Amino acid sequence: MLKIGECVIYGSHGLCSVRDILVPSFLERGKEKQYYQMVSAVDAGSVLYVPVDGAEDKIRQVISRGDAEGLIDEIEFTPELELPEGKKAEPAIMEVIKRNVADEMMSLVKSLRKIKATREAEGKKFASLSEKHLLMAEKLLYTELAFALKTEKDDIKSRVLSELSQLPLETA
């Protein structure tokens, strides 16, 4: 069972802090059960209610400081995702975002950033849906890494983009 004040990753909601463990007043009489009341660090002001029973399948611990450093420092060795072309990529991208596992998210960010850079180098636009997915993946990933490394999300983004910019476009 989680403790009040504990920070965890809750699926595609990302980094959340457990504010309380309670039986919410919105439940029907006779169907009362305990819920985690969680506050999202990704979507400021969002309050989530997660049933305590079964929560362990949807919640994971924040990655360690060492793993976070490794993800950034070793980005050149992070495998890229094999994404289908165009709109067919959306289900594959959404699966990664839904699972929200840090190393997969880094692969997704790396892959989408490469596609974006390649398209721009060819004088083409990066699809708005792909841009939306990239921003969502970065928001989730950078928030978790910033928490693990006790720094700001913008600092993480700068570090990741700096690392990616040093890679040749063919492997970035």
Side-chain angles (χ1 to χ4, degrees):
M1 188 154 177
L2 300 174
K3 296 178 183 87
I4 294 173
E6 191 171 351
C7 287
V8 294
I9 303 299
Y10 175 52
S12 61
H13 294 282
L15 183 69
C16 294
S17 172
V18 178
R19 179 190 283 169
D20 204 352
I21 302 168
L22 52 92
V23 175
S25 58
F26 58 77
L27 292 178
E28 235 177 88
R29 192 174 282 277
K31 296 190 179 186
E32 296 97 347
K33 59 183 178 179
Q34 284 196 313
Y35 278 69
Y36 294 117
Q37 182 186 52
M38 301 198 299
V39 179
S40 172
V42 176
D43 295 316
S46 289
V47 177
L48 308 164
Y49 290 88
V50 181
V52 170
D53 291 341
E56 61 276 354
D57 297 338
K58 300 173 186 124
I59 293 173
R60 69 172 173 81
Q61 296 299 310
V62 177
I63 64 170
S64 70
R65 180 179 188 85
D67 288 345
E69 285 289 355
L71 264 182
I72 297 169
D73 293 343
E74 303 293 320
I75 199 167
E76 66 185 289
F77 304 112
T78 299
E80 292 175 30
L81 298 179
E82 296 286 328
L83 295 173
E85 291 287 317
K87 291 183 180 179
K88 292 179 182 174
E90 185 175 15
I93 291 169
M94 290 311 295
E95 261 314 300
V96 173
I97 289 172
K98 184 177 170 186
R99 280 192 303 273
N100 193 12
V101 176
D103 58 340
E104 287 183 1
M105 294 295 276
M106 185 62 88
S107 290
L108 178 60
V109 167
K110 181 179 180 181
S111 301
L112 290 173
R113 284 270 168 201
K114 178 184 177 184
I115 293 167
K116 183 176 182 173
T118 302
R119 298 215 32 101
E120 287 173 354
E122 295 169 347
K124 297 178 182 173
K125 287 187 174 185
F126 186 55
S128 62
L129 189 58
S130 296
E131 184 72 43
K132 178 183 150 198
H133 292 135
L134 174 60
L135 292 173
M136 188 182 312
E138 286 182 322
K139 188 177 193 181
L140 291 167
L141 178 64
Y142 299 163
T143 302
E144 180 174 4
L145 295 176
F147 180 81
L149 297 172
K150 296 180 178 27
T151 188
E152 296 298 318
K153 193 170 65 170
D154 288 342
D155 295 340
I156 298 297
K157 182 175 184 175
S158 295
R159 280 185 63 191
V160 169
L161 294 181
S162 173
E163 292 289 329
L164 288 174
S165 71
Q166 295 175 36
L167 300 177
L169 198 53
E170 301 82 53
T171 59

